Amino acid sequence: MRLWPAVLIKARGVSKSFGPKEVLRSVDVEIDKGDRVGLVGPNGAGKSTLLKILIGELKPDLGEITKQTDKIQYLPQFQDMGEATVEDACIDPWASDTQRRLEKLEALMANSADIAELDLGRIASEYGQLQEELTSRRTHEVEEKRRTALERVGMSERSGEDKISELSGGERTRIMLARVLMQADEADLVIMDEPTSHLDIEAVESLEEYLCGFDGAVLVVSHDRYFMDQVVNHVWDLDEGKVTSYRGNYTEFVGKKLLEIERKRIASQKNQTERERMLKIAEEQHLRLRFASTHKTRLKMVDRMEDIQPPQEQKRMSINVPTVAKSGKNFVTLKQLVVHRGNKKVLDGIDLDLTVGDKLGIFGPNGSGKTTLLKALIGEIPHKGEFWVAPGAKVGYFAQGHDNLDEKLTPEEQMLVALGEEEKGKARSLLSRFQLCAEHVVTPIGKLSGGERARVSLALLISEKRNLLLLDEPTNYLDILSREAVEDALREYKGAMILVTHDRYLLDAVCNKVGELRAGKLDVFNGTYSQLKGQIAHVTMFSDANVYRVVSGFTEWTTRKKYREGDKVTIAPAEIEIYRWALDNGKLKRVPGREVKRVRRLPNDEQ
């Protein structure tokens, strides 16, 4: 039985700046044995910086790091293995340590004449024994571990001689993940930076299974909320350079954070009310007793009071995907659709009926043809079989690789190509809703980050009214806040949709149908991803709800509750369809403000 120190790694008072930008401010964190920690925060908040400081790759400006173990495995977000092969990448830690010991023994034997009292016999005996063990391990146990690790990440077909530099970005991520898994069994702590990027659902679920059975501690940065719900029991929230620690998985963290924000808002409101009351009393005392100094005592009391500021509101993208009306029920009908790529049959007899209100989420292994299906639907790829799209369908397509963007143009110029040269104001307005500021707007798209390009593509998507959306991984490269904004918009979208994604949280939040594409066949299930897997996802959750005022009385028939004119109603995004009739008929009017609300959402919810 292995023994770990109680505290594996600890940071105290850690601060780090890059030029004038302060990324971390007096951060205090620690990881104990058995901890499963998820590190979350907006893009650019400093998550990768904190990981690099913890492992010693970066030095903090202030503060100290204490480590009780050297057995730490780290999977960085961006990999650079030069000309290394798959076999070089998937090394065995025991073999690496043994190889270093052999090199040290070789150096001792080579310089034996300069070292007095050196026992050459003992050194030669150890050298021979280690060589024999290394050879045996390489030919049996290491190959088995490498094979298992590559299978776990869906790369079992790759030869050990394949060069990392010749692989795709997703394949490189998978190989480096296999490298970490090979070494994790002998590690006390595994640190991963976006390990699920470019992995399909099958590979992610295999990783989840491994991590849930792993004996050591885990620290992971991820925008995959479903993944974190499965594997973490603590969440570190990095915001404005500070880290706040919460117990529980990601969904529990969301509820606790919303309650904390509400508590701070109420405390600030009470504090400001009390300060105003004290100042008013001081003013009245001064007017009533003009020559007395009583009011000064009251003013000093106000100065000594703690000034509790309201919590900072996080900026969210403001997205509303407009639709255009369409007559008729059916949008898309496919009968025995077949698509070839060269000599390979990628899609083999796809049947699909998409009607008004359908939001179909498609998932499956990488390379199974998900993107091919979408491109066939927009006519980019030739096909065989029956294929019908309603004449009234106005199709919007979001490409995973942002193929619709011209890297030489700026976001503003790209928008004007779609909207017309005279629509500069509208173009700027749309881009600002996706938090693309003046600096981003005039920067060539080729120089923007992946997340910024995704936001430009989304802005283009909603620049015209459409009623059928074909979306290929729309939340890739987006941080969690941006993903939530996209989810809210797609959930409330009134048109039909086919959504290709590996994001299971997005599938549950948006889709009322899911389909698995595998071996050229599409198997459609009426319900959410979690229903398909037999799980109950997010039975209750805390949600940031909008506030409405009742303009005209009505009865909400789901609960049979009667609302009278002037009543206040809070509606979370997950409840919007319950109140759809009242909203569409002008019974409710949105008023300023947002409130925290506990929402019950069962797996059969289809809003």
Side-chain angles (χ1 to χ4, degrees):
M1 180 178 177
R2 295 176 61 201
L3 297 176
W4 289 269
V7 179
L8 299 174
I9 193 167
K10 180 190 297 184
R12 286 291 176 264
V14 167
S15 298
K16 183 67 179 179
S17 297
F18 295 99
K21 184 179 180 182
E22 190 175 30
V23 178
L24 302 175
R25 296 188 293 122
S26 299
V27 170
D28 293 336
V29 291
E30 69 177 46
I31 298 177
D32 300 341
K33 69 174 184 178
D35 279 351
R36 303 285 199 279
V37 181
L39 174 57
V40 301
N43 284 341
K47 301 185 294 294
S48 296
T49 298
L50 178 56
L51 295 190
K52 289 177 181 178
I53 288 175
L54 290 176
I55 65 171
E57 193 172 306
L58 281 177
K59 288 187 177 181
D61 299 332
L62 296 171
E64 63 177 355
I65 305 295
T66 305
K67 295 181 188 175
Q68 300 294 334
T69 179
D70 292 324
K71 295 181 178 179
I72 299 175
Q73 291 302 323
Y74 172 52
L75 175 69
Q77 185 174 0
F78 303 104
Q79 314 294 340
D80 182 14
M81 289 293 292
E83 294 300 307
T85 65
V86 170
E87 184 175 342
D88 294 332
C90 298
I91 57 174
D92 175 38
W94 182 89
S96 299
D97 292 342
T98 303
Q99 188 64 51
R100 283 193 291 271
R101 177 59 179 169
L102 286 170
E103 290 170 1
K104 186 175 181 179
L105 294 175
E106 286 173 358
L108 286 173
M109 289 188 288
N111 298 304
S112 59
D114 302 327
I115 305 174
E117 300 178 358
L118 190 67
D119 190 343
L120 283 174
R122 184 182 60 81
I123 292 174
S125 175
E126 181 185 356
Y127 185 85
Q129 182 179 349
L130 288 176
Q131 270 196 324
E132 184 177 338
E133 290 178 4
L134 185 59
T135 301
S136 173
R137 187 175 175 105
R138 276 176 175 162
T139 55
H140 296 93
E141 185 178 341
V142 175
E143 284 305 318
E144 178 64 21
K145 289 181 70 175
R146 182 182 293 119
R147 184 187 62 78
T148 302
L150 290 172
E151 278 183 0
R152 194 177 291 277
V153 299
M155 295 290 288
S156 57
E157 296 180 0
R158 278 293 175 188
S159 166
E161 300 303 315
D162 290 343
K163 289 187 176 181
I164 303 295
S165 60
E166 296 174 357
L167 304 181
S168 69
E171 288 174 325
R172 283 197 294 270
T173 298
R174 288 164 173 263
I175 293 298
M176 297 311 295
L177 183 55
R179 171 193 177 99
V180 171
L181 294 180
M182 275 198 68
Q183 303 183 43
D185 286 339
E186 299 183 36
D188 295 337
L189 170 63
V190 172
I191 299 177
M192 298 179 171
D193 195 353
E194 293 292 354
T196 63
S197 294
H198 307 292
L199 298 184
D200 56 36
I201 288 178
E202 193 172 8
V204 173
E205 291 182 340
S206 179
L207 175 61
E208 287 171 358
E209 182 183 357
Y210 174 82
L211 292 176
C212 288
F214 175 57
D215 287 334
V218 175
L219 170 59
V220 60
V221 171
S222 180
H223 292 147
D224 188 335
R225 294 154 292 170
Y226 204 108
F227 171 74
M228 288 199 292
D229 269 350
Q230 303 300 313
V231 302
V232 309
N233 57 19
H234 286 74
V235 174
W236 292 350
D237 182 27
L238 176 55
D239 193 21
E240 299 291 328
K242 290 284 197 179
V243 173
T244 306
S245 182
Y246 296 85
R247 285 189 174 275
N249 64 14
Y250 179 80
T251 298
E252 292 171 314
F253 149 70
V254 171
K256 290 177 180 179
K257 183 172 182 179
L258 284 172
L259 287 176
E260 179 69 9
I261 290 172
E262 181 68 3
R263 185 191 66 76
K264 288 180 179 178
R265 187 189 66 78
I266 293 171
S268 173
Q269 195 174 57
K270 288 182 177 179
N271 176 259
Q272 295 304 314
T273 300
E274 180 62 15
R275 290 174 67 87
E276 289 170 7
R277 187 184 73 84
M278 298 277 279
L279 289 170
K280 187 176 181 181
I281 292 172
E283 183 180 357
E284 290 173 351
Q285 287 177 335
H286 185 47
L287 290 174
R288 190 172 64 251
L289 305 169
R290 182 170 295 277
F291 299 103
S293 60
T294 312
H295 71 287
K296 293 182 179 179
T297 303
R298 185 74 60 172
L299 289 174
K300 287 180 181 178
M301 291 172 63
V302 174
D303 288 339
R304 287 196 293 268
M305 283 180 63
E306 182 183 3
D307 186 10
I308 302 175
Q309 294 297 312
Q312 278 193 327
E313 288 194 19
Q314 292 179 305
K315 292 183 179 179
R316 289 175 60 117
M317 294 194 302
S318 174
I319 308 174
N320 176 34
V321 185
T323 57
V324 62
K326 184 195 86 71
S327 60
K329 180 182 178 182
N330 294 330
F331 265 102
V332 176
T333 298
L334 304 179
K335 297 291 185 184
Q336 292 299 298
L337 182 79
V338 176
V339 174
H340 287 83
R341 284 288 183 95
N343 296 324
K344 182 181 179 183
K345 185 185 288 187
V346 180
L347 303 179
D348 184 13
I350 300 291
D351 293 333
L352 176 64
D353 286 306
L354 196 72
T355 61
V356 173
D358 280 348
K359 295 179 180 180
L360 171 64
I362 296 179
F363 66 94
N366 286 335
S368 60
K370 301 183 295 296
T371 298
T372 297
L373 175 59
L374 294 188
K375 289 189 174 182
L377 291 175
I378 62 174
E380 277 193 16
I381 296 176
H383 60 273
K384 296 178 182 179
E386 184 181 338
F387 175 24
W388 179 85
V389 177
K394 301 294 183 183
V395 181
Y397 175 55
F398 181 96
Q400 179 180 358
H402 313 139
D403 305 335
N404 57 332
L405 301 181
D406 186 337
E407 294 192 351
K408 297 185 181 68
L409 299 180
T410 67
E412 181 180 61
E413 291 167 344
Q414 183 80 69
M415 293 294 293
L416 294 178
V417 169
L419 298 173
E421 290 296 326
E422 70 283 357
E423 296 288 352
K424 189 171 182 177
K426 183 179 179 181
R428 288 264 177 148
S429 175
L430 281 168
L431 292 168
S432 68
R433 286 166 61 186
F434 287 87
Q435 296 182 3
L436 292 162
C437 63
E439 179 185 345
H440 299 127
V441 166
V442 296
T443 300
I445 291 171
K447 295 184 178 180
L448 298 178
S449 69
E452 289 161 351
R453 293 187 198 193
R455 284 182 266 155
V456 175
S457 287
L458 287 168
L460 274 173
L461 183 71
I462 71 168
S463 62
E464 296 180 11
K465 289 185 177 180
R466 310 169 194 275
N467 50 31
L468 173 59
L469 297 183
L470 306 178
L471 309 173
D472 194 357
E473 297 288 0
T475 57
N476 270 8
Y477 307 108
L478 297 181
D479 60 23
I480 289 176
L481 275 178
S482 301
R483 290 183 183 212
E484 289 173 348
V486 171
E487 280 171 13
D488 290 347
L490 296 182
R491 187 188 296 114
E492 296 179 23
Y493 178 64
K494 296 182 180 66
M497 178 192 311
I498 298 179
L499 168 66
V500 167
T501 184
H502 295 314
D503 187 339
R504 295 161 294 171
Y505 211 97
L506 181 64
L507 289 172
D508 272 353
V510 171
C511 300
N512 54 20
K513 294 183 176 182
V514 290
E516 182 175 15
L517 187 57
R518 183 184 292 272
K521 303 289 186 181
L522 180 64
D523 186 14
V524 176
F525 172 81
N526 288 320
T528 66
Y529 178 82
S530 287
Q531 279 182 295
L532 175 63
K533 292 296 182 179
Q535 300 171 4
I536 296 179
H538 320 305
V539 173
T540 60
M541 64 178 293
F542 291 92
S543 181
D544 206 4
N546 293 323
V547 181
Y548 295 81
R549 180 171 58 83
V550 177
V551 177
S552 176
F554 68 96
T555 301
E556 194 283 286
W557 291 107
T558 304
T559 60
R560 298 186 179 275
K561 182 175 180 179
K562 293 184 177 181
Y563 291 94
R564 297 180 179 179
E565 182 179 345
D567 285 353
K568 186 181 79 168
V569 184
T570 56
I571 304 177
E575 302 173 305
I576 200 73
E577 290 304 320
I578 297 174
Y579 296 91
R580 176 60 62 196
W581 178 87
L583 290 166
D584 290 346
N585 287 276
K587 301 289 186 180
L588 292 167
K589 182 180 179 181
R590 173 81 183 273
V591 297
R594 293 170 79 88
E595 293 187 5
V596 177
K597 184 176 184 180
R598 182 187 286 270
V599 181
R600 182 171 179 79
R601 288 180 54 208
L602 296 175
N604 58 0
D605 286 346
E606 295 186 355
Q607 45 267 42

